[in-house]
Amino acid sequence: MSLDRRTLLLGMAAASPLAMAGRLWAAPAGGARLLVVFLRGAYDATNIVIPTRSDFYYESRPTLAIPRPDPANSHAALSLGDAWGLHPALRETILPLYQKGNVAFIPFAGTDDLTRSHFETQDTIELGQDINSSRNYRSGFMGRLAQTLSGTSPIAFTAQLPLIFQSTGAIPNIAINAVAKSAITERQVRLISEMYAGRPLASAVDEGFHVRDDVYHAITEKLTQASRGAASPKGFELSARRIGQLMRDRFSLGFVDVGGWDTHVNQGGATGYLADRIGELGRGLAGFSEEIGPQWDNTVVVVISEFGRTFRENGDKGTDHGHGSVYWVLGGGIKGGRLAGEQVPVDQQHLFQNRDYPVLTDYRAMFGGLFQRMYGLKQRHLQAIFPIVSPMDLKLV
């Protein structure tokens, strides 16, 4: 019985995102690894990396503000130095990494997109293009990076290939949070492979199916051992450990997104909704650092969000769409334990449009500086990735 057209399309969809024959499964060994974590929904950076020396912060957030550092108060901010503190939900996870010099925070970071639209600004960041020019939705900045580098093994840990990895080359994607055995049967795999036999894409299709099965078995075997056969829990904490395993052994360039950061109502302060979310993120990132093992020293993790949130809390005990944010850069080789980049006093005078953090570090300049140091890219290569922005060397690696 012949396959119907829908089944053929399903088979091709399962194969084509993974079709990188002869390149994808070369183990990255000791080479540099990069993971970008996108917090979709715009996380409230001001309540995570807290301007504890700012009286204006405490005046602007009468119900949301995190108390100034105080060893006797478990709900107080964790000191990061004279002017900044860290949310107490990160006490056991991110703070120890910061104290080891494995984490740097970049306040006043973001994009020149002023729409304050989630989708518009997410697209802006993922594409990494000039916002004053027409957009090419088939060219994301990590896709361009993968094309520029040789010998990389890219992957998106997402259900759909994100804009950030769009490119002329094939890049695999897999929903790491809900890995299930493919609906494509062995018989269908065989028929699809026979259909491509003798054609230019034959080896790529075969390799795609091989990668799909290999990733599935690598993840499920790990989960079976850890859970003793119980149903696998969901959430970024567990997903990050899976990602760490795969980037340790298989991939060198990764992307994952984490949703749920749009906190207009009942955001909470030291406890509550945002505290729970940031606690999960912290455990996930700490778990990733453990799972990737010795390769942590060769790894850079960058945590970004589309924009920050309003500096003042709103009438619903939440925050609204803002502008500048705080980015995180983590890794065993990071020159961290500090806040990097240009900074200004946190007061009303320095707010953007009297409501938000300003953007003093453009995300493209920050990434460009990282790529320059991590990969030794020349200016012409960096211009191919970010056409109109010069790299900013924050000396993070």
Side-chain angles (χ1 to χ4, degrees):
M1 185 177 76
S2 62
L3 291 171
D4 61 25
R5 188 171 185 272
R6 179 175 178 275
T7 302
L8 284 174
L9 289 173
L10 283 171
M12 292 172 69
S16 60
L18 298 168
M20 299 183 67
R23 178 171 176 236
L24 177 61
W25 284 89
R33 290 159 170 77
L34 171 68
L35 175 67
V36 175
V37 181
F38 202 129
L39 307 183
R40 295 196 189 274
Y43 91 117
D44 181 31
T46 309
N47 253 29
I48 307 305
V49 180
I50 304 144
T52 54
R53 198 163 60 187
S54 169
D55 292 336
F56 183 56
Y57 164 77
Y58 291 97
E59 295 165 3
S60 300
R61 297 187 169 213
T63 68
L64 301 184
I66 310 296
R68 289 185 169 95
D70 177 0
N73 182 359
S74 62
H75 289 166
L78 310 168
S79 178
L80 298 179
D82 292 338
W84 300 91
L86 189 65
H87 195 287
L90 300 174
R91 183 188 309 275
E92 305 298 328
T93 55
I94 301 303
L95 181 62
L97 291 173
Y98 181 88
Q99 292 171 335
K100 288 168 58 177
N102 287 180
V103 182
F105 296 108
I106 306 169
F108 312 112
T111 173
D112 51 353
D113 190 318
L114 300 180
T115 62
R116 293 190 176 88
S117 160
H118 291 301
F119 304 117
E120 181 81 11
T121 313
Q122 287 173 20
D123 288 357
T124 292
I125 289 179
E126 292 186 68
L127 293 173
Q129 301 167 13
D130 181 2
I131 62 171
N132 297 313
S133 301
S134 59
R135 293 188 169 188
N136 178 3
Y137 284 90
R138 300 184 67 84
S139 180
F141 83 78
M142 288 188 72
R144 298 193 294 275
L145 175 64
Q147 287 181 289
T148 300
L149 301 174
S150 61
T152 57
S153 301
I155 186 169
F157 299 102
T158 56
Q160 305 292 329
L161 188 68
L163 277 181
I164 202 168
F165 256 142
Q166 291 292 327
S167 70
T168 57
I171 291 175
N173 63 280
I174 183 167
I176 200 74
N177 198 37
V179 175
K181 192 165 182 62
S182 173
I184 306 300
T185 67
E186 291 301 319
R187 177 178 177 274
Q188 291 168 343
V189 169
R190 187 176 67 255
L191 289 171
I192 292 168
S193 297
E194 290 173 355
M195 181 177 70
Y196 281 95
R199 299 184 182 183
L201 286 176
S203 60
V205 170
D206 290 342
E207 183 73 2
F209 282 123
H210 170 71
V211 170
R212 177 205 63 178
D213 293 339
D214 214 356
V215 169
Y216 170 76
H217 289 302
I219 293 171
T220 53
E221 286 171 10
K222 181 76 173 178
L223 292 179
T224 300
Q225 294 169 9
S227 305
R228 296 185 178 180
S232 60
K234 295 182 179 180
F236 179 71
E237 182 177 359
L238 181 57
S239 298
R241 286 191 173 273
R242 302 176 188 174
I243 293 169
Q245 179 199 8
L246 291 169
M247 292 198 68
R248 180 190 67 214
D249 301 331
R250 311 285 192 181
F251 300 99
S252 58
L253 191 60
F255 173 86
V256 64
D257 47 16
V258 184
W261 302 97
D262 198 15
T263 52
H264 290 282
V265 178
N266 294 328
Q267 174 179 304
T271 61
Y273 178 81
L274 180 62
D276 292 343
R277 295 295 296 159
I278 206 68
E280 180 186 55
L281 178 71
R283 291 190 297 274
L285 293 171
F288 173 90
S289 72
E290 295 171 2
E291 197 70 32
I292 205 167
Q295 296 304 337
W296 179 239
D297 290 341
N298 302 318
T299 299
V300 174
V301 179
V302 184
V303 180
I304 63 175
S305 196
E306 62 262 39
F307 43 71
R309 304 193 72 82
T310 49
F311 192 80
R312 300 176 182 88
E313 67 178 74
N314 62 28
D316 294 318
K317 299 183 178 180
T319 51
D320 299 318
H321 298 179
H323 188 46
S325 185
V326 180
Y327 292 168
W328 310 11
V329 181
L330 308 87
I334 290 297
K335 297 175 182 176
R338 63 192 176 100
L339 279 85
E342 184 180 352
Q343 300 173 38
V344 291
V346 179
D347 55 25
Q348 183 170 357
Q349 176 185 346
H350 290 93
L351 289 185
F352 176 73
Q353 296 181 348
N354 194 31
R355 53 173 280 161
D356 312 315
Y357 271 169
V359 170
L360 306 179
T361 297
D362 184 275
Y363 76 103
R364 295 163 295 184
M366 181 205 70
F367 273 110
L370 274 174
F371 297 164
Q372 193 172 46
R373 282 189 167 258
M374 289 177 66
Y375 305 115
L377 296 183
K378 298 184 182 300
Q379 185 64 27
R380 61 186 177 88
H381 296 134
L382 293 170
Q383 285 296 308
I385 300 169
F386 296 118
I388 66 166
V389 176
S390 297
M392 179 182 293
D393 185 6
L394 299 179
K395 296 179 172 55
L396 295 168
V397 294

